[in-house]
Amino acid sequence: MKRLYIEGSANTANGNLRMAFAKLLSKELKGNMPRIVMGDSKNHTIESFFTESIDSKEERFLLVDSDEPKPNKQHICDKYNQKFKAKQNIDSSINNTFLMIQEAEAWLLSQPEVLVKAGIDMSKFNCQNVESIKDPSDKLSDLYKKSGKTYNKVRDFANIFPKLDTAKLKQTCPEFCALIDALNK
């Protein structure tokens, strides 16, 4: 059994992030879907990944924001392991840890055509590498504001995220591609 711990929000009052991730991932993982566990913050997600009881046949994966443009993934994994050393004998490694660089909103910005269909004016948005955008959620919020809307991190993300083209996402966001490859093994 595979279990994927994802940074976000388990609260469904404004939208269901778990369902949004499930819909997107199912495009690539038909018949091989992991159980998705949403954390309420980065720290909560990482702590849950390390401390929740584990079944002997379970494979665990972690998906969190990198919060930086060019993360040193091994350093990040080492830091998580040091913080939660000996909790469940689970290691965070480059094989089971995946990063949304810098935030999941970069994945939305990687496909402006999807945002245009949601009524967002993307005419002045021009970025070849969305993973280089500092604070993608702020950039997306600005684009919403310029389109006469207010961006809600959960509601709007949950509505738009499942509409992304996963083939394109694998090309523009290497960590997404690596996540899919790992979950398909």
Side-chain angles (χ1 to χ4, degrees):
M1 170 180 61
K2 294 177 183 173
R3 191 173 294 203
L4 175 60
Y5 290 77
I6 303 175
E7 175 183 353
S9 175
N11 185 334
T12 59
N14 288 323
N16 190 329
L17 291 179
R18 189 184 70 73
M19 185 68 68
F21 273 95
K23 285 179 181 178
L24 182 79
L25 293 173
S26 69
K27 294 176 184 181
E28 294 287 331
L29 303 173
K30 295 176 181 79
N32 201 19
M33 282 292 292
R35 179 171 174 255
I36 295 174
V37 180
M38 294 303 302
D40 286 320
S41 68
K42 186 176 194 172
N43 286 335
H44 177 259
T45 304
I46 295 166
E47 185 172 350
S48 296
F49 172 82
F50 279 99
T51 61
E52 286 186 2
S53 58
I54 187 168
D55 182 285
S56 62
K57 296 177 183 173
E58 179 182 325
E59 286 182 83
R60 279 201 181 166
F61 300 88
L62 179 65
L63 178 62
V64 294
D65 291 344
S66 70
D67 296 323
E68 56 186 271
K70 295 180 181 177
N72 179 327
K73 194 170 171 179
Q74 188 61 59
H75 179 264
I76 290 170
C77 294
D78 291 345
K79 183 173 75 172
Y80 297 164
N81 289 329
Q82 184 65 32
K83 185 174 181 178
F84 294 100
K85 198 178 210 172
K87 293 282 188 180
Q88 277 279 345
N89 199 25
I90 300 169
D91 288 326
S92 172
S93 73
I94 59 172
N95 298 320
N96 69 349
T97 300
F98 301 91
L99 304 171
M100 296 177 277
I101 302 171
Q102 298 179 40
E103 300 173 305
E105 280 80 4
W107 294 4
L108 296 179
L109 291 168
S110 75
Q111 296 181 29
E113 65 278 8
V114 174
L115 291 164
V116 167
K117 288 180 182 174
I120 307 306
D121 179 5
M122 300 297 288
S123 62
K124 293 187 170 100
F125 178 77
N126 185 14
C127 183
Q128 298 301 319
N129 179 4
V130 293
E131 292 185 341
S132 69
I133 297 172
K134 184 172 171 49
D135 299 320
S137 59
D138 289 346
K139 179 65 177 171
L140 193 57
S141 182
D142 287 345
L143 290 166
Y144 266 71
K145 185 183 268 184
K146 289 175 182 171
S147 299
K149 299 179 179 211
T150 302
Y151 178 66
N152 178 285
K153 274 185 83 80
V154 175
R155 180 195 65 225
D156 295 314
F157 184 89
N159 286 333
I160 295 171
F161 193 62
K163 297 173 183 169
L164 295 179
D165 180 324
T166 56
K168 288 181 182 178
L169 197 56
K170 288 193 300 186
Q171 291 176 345
T172 56
C173 300
E175 280 289 295
F176 177 76
C177 185
L179 171 67
I180 295 303
D181 288 347
L183 290 171
N184 266 325
K185 287 183 183 177

